[in-house]
Amino acid sequence: MKDRSLLMIPGPVELDPEVVEALAAPITSHLAPIFMEAFGSALERLRQVFQCPDGQPFILAGSGTLAMDTAAVNLVERGDKVLVVNTGYFGDRFADIFERYGAEVTQIRALPGSRPALHEVESALKSGQYKILSVTHVDTSTGVLTDVKGIAALAAKYGVLNIVDGVCSVAGEELRMAEWGVDLAFTASQKAVSTPPGLALLVAGPKALEVFRKRKTPVGSYYADWTLWMPVMEAYEARKPAYFGTPAVNLIRALDVSLGQILAEGMEARWNRHIAISNAVQSAIDAMDMNQVPVNREFAAHTMTAPRFLAGVNGPEFLKKTAQAGVVLAGGLHPAIKAEYYRIGHMGTTSIAEVLTTIGAIETALSSCISSYRPGEAVQAALKAYNT
Ligand SMILES: *Cc1c(COP(=O)(O)O)cnc(C)c1O
């Protein structure tokens, strides 16, 4: 039987065939012209995807956590005060990373599914003398979307450098770095950027670069030090070879193909497609009477959905049944509510056909978990929401 299921988790995600083709190309030298062109082009395209014309892009081999680590280690010096706007598991992780590099961290937290209000962020900023504020655009553990535009404006008002963890948002949720005044944002290749796992992608804006240049102490990591990577990024962008650490040649070629597709779709069209797809998923979840982790629609991401299990449904059993029906979904991640919910990723290249397949698999699983369940309505609700 066909040994292939549909992967609908919040990363890694399904890939476009052209991206897969780039991965399967024969390995070249990292100094080959074809690779220099792909690396240079990917750097240029990152600036456009992040909407930061004056930014410095970095492409490093590693996962999203390396992007977090790189952001923190290059910008923080011992004793700096950092404010973390925490909406879940990845906020906790970022706070840990900042502390590891000697920052004094304050966190503003919300209950799982909620997010701190802008006035809470503002009163923290007022009282704090912070150097850096970080916010997770979409916390993948709760599916909560934050108001990055509002938070970046507050950070600018109080002269605080702001960093956006966009690992579950960049190329899926609206993000306009330069226009909104975001100083540094990052993502990883396997989320809405639609490339396999393995690349950390950062864009540092002018203020972040200035803070980095004015450091008094050396960067506390050798591998992640921008001093060593900057000449490499500059050289490749000029289509010249350079070496510090061997780049992930085929991943970068695949990344360039995917970034080309993203820009061909157009950023606004892509953000709108994510909204249409998420409306379809959310309506289907409502039609099945499932609650969601985000406490209201305004707080819910468009790149993923975090529905709670229906009462009486055994979570692991339900996820096993959806997998048997051909669709792989993810379990819970936030430690406080881990067993109560599951996660559907619908970022990147996700189509309405894939959403209908996913909802169909969920209804199939529910029918076998709950004998009185009558399938069909959720698929219709998804289609109806998508078409309006
Ligand atoms: C996935 C994710 C990360 C971590 O990325 P890895 O590639 O798993 O290291 C960080 N932040 C957010 C918001 C994420 O979704």
Side-chain angles (χ1 to χ4, degrees):
M1 244 168 46
K2 181 167 69 77
D3 178 22
R4 190 177 186 286
S5 39
L6 182 63
L7 187 58
M8 295 295 287
I9 65 174
V13 301
E14 291 277 332
L15 303 176
D16 184 277
E18 283 180 28
V19 174
V20 178
E21 211 175 294
L23 282 171
I27 300 281
T28 68
S29 157
H30 56 294
L31 310 178
I34 193 172
F35 175 69
M36 284 195 287
E37 176 53 37
F39 201 160
S41 154
L43 288 162
E44 287 164 358
R45 286 169 165 170
L46 273 186
R47 260 195 214 95
Q48 296 176 56
V49 168
F50 282 70
Q51 311 249 300
C52 189
D54 299 331
Q56 174 60 53
F58 294 91
I59 299 174
L60 306 174
S63 78
T65 306
L66 177 73
M68 301 171 87
D69 206 48
T70 302
V73 79
N74 281 281
L75 296 175
V76 155
E77 295 188 74
R78 229 149 250 294
D80 284 347
K81 293 177 95 181
V82 175
L83 182 66
V84 174
V85 179
N86 187 325
T87 46
Y89 180 93
F90 289 104
D92 292 346
R93 175 171 295 184
F94 218 0
D96 278 351
I97 294 173
F98 284 121
E99 274 172 0
R100 180 68 63 94
Y101 297 121
E104 263 179 53
V105 175
T106 306
Q107 301 196 54
I108 329 179
R109 289 169 182 278
L111 288 172
S114 193
R115 66 189 195 192
L118 286 183
H119 68 83
E120 294 172 74
V121 177
E122 178 151 28
S123 46
L125 284 171
K126 238 181 225 165
S127 62
Q129 244 99 74
Y130 293 104
K131 173 174 163 184
I132 291 171
L133 173 154
S134 80
V135 58
T136 315
H137 200 175
V138 172
D139 199 298
T140 320
S141 71
T142 55
V144 167
L145 176 73
T146 51
D147 177 3
V148 165
K149 186 181 180 186
I151 290 175
L154 285 175
K157 179 174 169 191
Y158 291 90
V160 175
L161 198 74
N162 73 84
I163 302 181
V164 174
D165 174 348
V167 181
C168 196
S169 79
V170 170
E173 302 283 354
E174 181 178 9
L175 175 67
R176 303 174 188 269
M177 268 187 82
E179 195 183 315
W180 293 358
V182 171
D183 297 312
L184 175 77
F186 55 79
T187 187
S189 49
Q190 81 276 19
K191 306 260 172 121
V193 169
S194 312
T195 307
L199 296 174
L201 311 170
L202 300 92
V203 177
K207 277 195 220 153
L209 293 169
E210 191 188 322
V211 165
F212 164 71
R213 286 197 194 96
K214 287 187 176 156
R215 291 182 64 96
K216 297 192 181 73
T217 54
V219 173
S221 156
Y222 187 76
Y223 183 80
D225 189 345
W226 286 348
T227 321
L228 300 165
W229 284 115
M230 197 98 73
V232 175
M233 302 301 146
E234 285 167 356
Y236 274 101
E237 203 169 341
R239 311 305 196 259
K240 289 184 185 135
Y243 171 76
F244 167 56
T246 306
V249 281
N250 281 44
L251 276 179
I252 290 174
R253 284 178 65 184
L255 172 71
D256 183 46
V257 171
S258 190
L259 293 174
Q261 291 178 347
I262 290 168
L263 292 169
E265 180 176 14
M267 295 315 294
E268 299 212 359
R270 192 174 175 90
W271 298 330
N272 288 335
R273 177 169 56 78
H274 280 78
I275 291 173
I277 289 288
S278 108
N279 283 341
V281 175
Q282 305 253 354
S283 300
I285 296 302
D286 288 349
M288 291 184 276
D289 287 328
M290 284 177 186
N291 292 320
Q292 294 183 37
V293 175
V295 296
N296 63 45
R297 219 23 116 74
E298 193 197 343
F299 294 3
H302 305 103
T303 48
M304 61 170 288
T305 299
R308 291 181 177 272
F309 294 118
L310 283 178
V313 166
N314 174 309
E317 191 64 23
F318 167 83
L319 290 174
K320 206 167 109 192
K321 293 265 161 65
T322 55
Q324 281 167 356
V327 176
V328 178
L329 303 175
L333 179 62
H334 193 295
I337 51 170
K338 202 171 167 27
E340 298 167 17
Y341 73 108
Y342 65 103
R343 298 174 299 149
I344 309 168
H346 38 81
M347 62 188 107
T349 60
T350 304
S351 65
I352 185 64
E354 288 166 331
V355 169
L356 298 179
T357 303
T358 303
I359 301 303
I362 292 173
E363 291 210 275
T364 305
L366 282 182
S367 307
S368 87
C369 292
I370 304 174
S371 56
S372 62
Y373 186 80
R374 289 184 44 242
E377 276 174 31
V379 168
Q380 284 185 39
L383 256 184
K384 199 167 153 225
Y386 186 74
N387 289 324
T388 50

